[in-house]
Structures are given as C-alpha cells and as structure tokens.
Amino acid sequence: MTDMGGERVREAVAGAVAVLRTATERDWESVDAGSLTWSCRRTAEHVASCLLAYAGQLAGRVQGAYSPFRISIVDGTSNEELLQVVETTGALLTAAVRTAPREARAFHPYPFRSAGRDGFAAMGVTEVVLHTYDIAEGLSLTYEPPAELAEFALGTIFPHVQPGPDAWRTLLWATGRGELPGRAPVTEWRWNNNLVIPAERLTLEGVTPLAAADLAAGGDGGFEWVEGGPFEGTRDAAGMTAKAYEAGVHRPEFGLFVLVRQEDGRTVGGMGFHGAPDEDGRTEIGYDLAESARGHGYATDALRALAAWALAREDVRSLFATVDRDNLPSQRVVERAGFLRVSEDGEQFAYELLP
C-alpha cells in the first residue's frame, strides 16, 4: 500500500481550486456557503487556515496542544489571491505529509489527543472537499470530488461510519450535509483518528479500515515490516476488521493494532481484540508476530500494554485468550502478562485476566 496521503491532499486542493476559480469575479463576501452561517469568503479562509494548521502540527511534531499561531489574510486580497493562499497552504500540508516518518504523530484532540500523517492528510482532504462543496452550493456551482478522496477520508478518520454504495454521499451524510436512505440525519460529528498505545519497546498503532483492507488483500497496510511479516494471523485479523467496518459494527478502539518497534519504526506483528466487550464486559485478545521477531519479548510487552489500557476502561471487566496446547511460547507470553489458565477445551487452553 503506497503512502497516498500527500497525493490525496494535492489532488483535493487542485480539484477545489479549479472549480472555484471559475467564480472568482463573483461576490463571495455577501453569500453564505451552503448551509453554513459563514460567507463563501470566510469559508475559503477557513480552508486555508486548516491546511496551514495541520501542516504546522505535523511538521513541528507539536505535542499536548495546538501550536499557538494562525493565518492572517491581508485586507484587500482578491478571491483569486485567496485561492492562491489555499494552493500554498495545501502545498505545505502535502509536503509535511510526504516528508514525515510514517510513525510521526502530533497533537489533535479527537478522540485520543494525537494524529498521524494519514490522519492529518485525511482531515485536510475532508476540510477541502466539504467546504468546496459548501462554497459551490452558495455560488450555484457544480462540484463533486473523485470517489477515492471520499473513500480515503472515510476509511481513515471515519472508521465508525458504515460505508455506503456512494462514498461521496456517505461523507456528506456523515458530516450533516445530506441524507442516506435508512439512516438517521447526523446533527453532530467529530474526527476519529486512530488510537496509539505506547509499550516498553513498541508502539501499538490502531489499524484504520483503509489499511486493514490492504493488509487483508495481501498488501503491507502502509507499514514497513520486518522480514517475514505480516504473518497470516495479522492478515486474518485485518480481514475481520474490514468486514466489521463494511457491516457498520467496527469499534476502532477494539480492533487490530500493529506492533511498531520504536528503535527503527519497523512493524513486527499484530495484536488486537476479537470484538468489543460483551454485556459482561468480557473481550478476547489475539496476536501474532513475524517469525523473525519472535523470541525477543515483543508480544509480552505489547500484551501487557494493551491489557492495561483495556482494563482501565469502565466497559471492560475481564480479558481472555485461547492458546493451542502445543504452543508453549504463546502460553508463556500470556502467563508473563498476568493471565491465569482457567480451563481446557480439546486442544486449547483458556486464559483470563481480571483488573
């Protein structure tokens, strides 16, 4: 899976500017942008502001809060010149995404207080296509972005939204701008960037539906794997994630995580939940490592971190894992992580961990 975030930002900005450039002689200040209370002019300025803010956050690896700066448009700037500002800030975000290491993260509040390069790219794309739609509606222009832009946004920062037959209409509905048959109107929405959990020597990085689909299809999911990875268990788990997303039952925080080695940014395996907690607050964890990464304690480190994160939640009361009777290394992993063997069933042992 080639990293496409920077290209998607470039494509979104180019398409938006091409449409809006046909109406630069119009009055943007006295016309509302679609259903927004902002003028078309104010909305275009907001797009430029978002693109610059995302580029700054990512390029500066800003942690803990938004970097305290903002864009200022010079009085008397024409509509054409404002579009040049949008192009410039779009180029800055494109460059920031393309040059950031894959594991780079910076502050963003929703929902886990950070975002990676794909997250910032997807938020930038969404700001551009949605607000271009708003401005175009206000100016009575025709605008619809390429489907792959909407698919990129939905599969990256709207993992909780069930995809529909038309990605663009689904994105409009998910952001309160349209209707979808059989779905209630959306009146409030927020970004949903992926969860990242630190471990001793690893980072557990939540896999987005877009990356999961690529892994399930035999790709790398956008991760740099150690030799022999990803192993078949990770690909199977990615397939489960993709199916849950398609069915509209995906809970991102209870999906698949990849285990990224902090020393070199390479991915050594996968770990995650078989689903959200049941009515008793019980959920199952599974994992695997590439063969070349085994025997170094990575699975134990990751399992301890993921279990601690899960059991700190109010909706999780117990974790369990099943291990084949003849898989002694995996039995040692769960036991070192604090799980206790509670039963045997044929060829498997069942383990449980309580708070």
Side-chain angles (χ1 to χ4, degrees):
M1 177 179 176
T2 303
D3 172 44
M4 294 298 295
E7 177 59 23
R8 292 291 181 248
V9 173
R10 187 208 63 77
E11 184 180 1
V13 171
V17 168
V19 169
L20 298 180
R21 198 157 259 153
T22 65
T24 53
E25 299 305 315
R26 304 265 297 277
D27 178 7
W28 289 15
E29 190 63 63
S30 61
V31 179
D32 285 345
S35 60
L36 303 182
T37 58
W38 293 342
S39 70
C40 292
R41 171 82 179 195
R42 173 70 184 88
T43 303
E45 292 176 353
H46 172 76
V47 171
S49 177
C50 289
L51 293 172
L52 180 62
Y54 295 153
Q57 289 295 107
L58 181 59
R61 314 288 194 269
V62 181
Q63 305 296 318
Y66 285 120
S67 186
F69 72 95
R70 67 178 61 181
I71 194 169
S72 178
I73 306 298
V74 175
D75 290 344
T77 298
S78 68
N79 292 337
E80 169 59 32
E81 290 170 330
L82 178 55
L83 290 182
Q84 292 173 16
V85 176
V86 172
E87 288 178 314
T88 300
T89 53
L92 290 173
L93 179 56
T94 297
V97 171
R98 285 176 172 170
T99 57
R102 192 211 50 77
E103 64 273 15
R105 298 190 74 81
F107 173 80
H108 190 276
Y110 304 124
F112 303 114
R113 299 184 64 78
S114 76
R117 68 182 188 188
D118 283 348
F120 282 113
M123 288 187 289
V125 166
T126 305
E127 295 281 3
V128 170
V129 298
L130 290 181
H131 288 314
T132 300
Y133 170 84
D134 296 330
I135 297 170
E137 189 175 26
L139 298 174
S140 299
L141 302 175
T142 298
Y143 172 74
E144 181 170 335
E148 60 263 23
L149 293 180
E151 291 167 356
F152 174 68
L154 288 168
T156 304
I157 50 169
F158 292 89
H160 55 296
V161 172
Q162 182 179 16
D166 184 314
W168 175 233
R169 306 291 170 229
T170 303
L171 183 60
L172 290 175
W173 167 81
T175 56
R177 288 171 170 80
E179 298 181 354
L180 279 184
R183 302 197 195 186
V186 173
T187 57
E188 293 184 2
W189 65 275
R190 290 247 172 103
W191 309 117
N192 200 327
N193 281 289
N194 65 328
L195 172 64
V196 168
I197 301 172
E200 185 175 341
R201 294 172 294 160
L202 305 165
T203 299
L204 284 72
E205 184 170 331
V207 177
T208 66
L210 200 65
D214 184 69
L215 280 169
D220 59 15
F223 303 99
E224 184 180 354
W225 291 83
V226 296
E227 181 182 356
F231 207 62
E232 61 183 77
T234 297
R235 293 203 187 278
D236 290 344
M240 293 170 57
T241 296
K243 288 179 180 178
Y245 171 64
E246 292 288 341
V249 296
H250 179 48
R251 288 273 301 277
E253 66 271 37
F254 288 104
L256 171 65
F257 296 80
V258 292
L259 314 182
V260 181
R261 197 161 55 193
Q262 294 173 4
E263 67 181 37
D264 59 5
R266 303 193 72 184
T267 306
V268 300
M271 179 175 291
F273 302 92
H274 290 198
D278 62 19
E279 57 203 23
D280 296 320
R282 196 165 180 258
T283 185
E284 182 176 2
I285 288 182
Y287 54 86
D288 75 359
L289 294 179
E291 290 186 5
S292 63
R294 296 173 186 175
H296 301 283
Y298 294 138
T300 301
D301 290 350
L303 185 55
R304 285 172 176 160
L306 188 59
W309 173 85
L311 291 175
R313 296 173 57 96
E314 293 184 358
D315 55 351
V316 178
R317 299 186 185 90
S318 66
L319 302 173
F320 72 100
T322 56
V323 182
D324 290 342
R325 182 185 293 270
D326 59 358
N327 190 344
L328 295 179
S330 189
Q331 291 170 30
R332 288 194 287 269
V333 167
V334 293
E335 289 167 359
R336 285 196 295 263
F339 285 71
L340 299 177
R341 187 185 301 178
V342 292
S343 66
E344 301 179 23
D345 181 13
E347 297 301 313
Q348 291 185 320
F349 295 140
Y351 292 83
E352 185 175 41
L353 179 65
L354 300 174

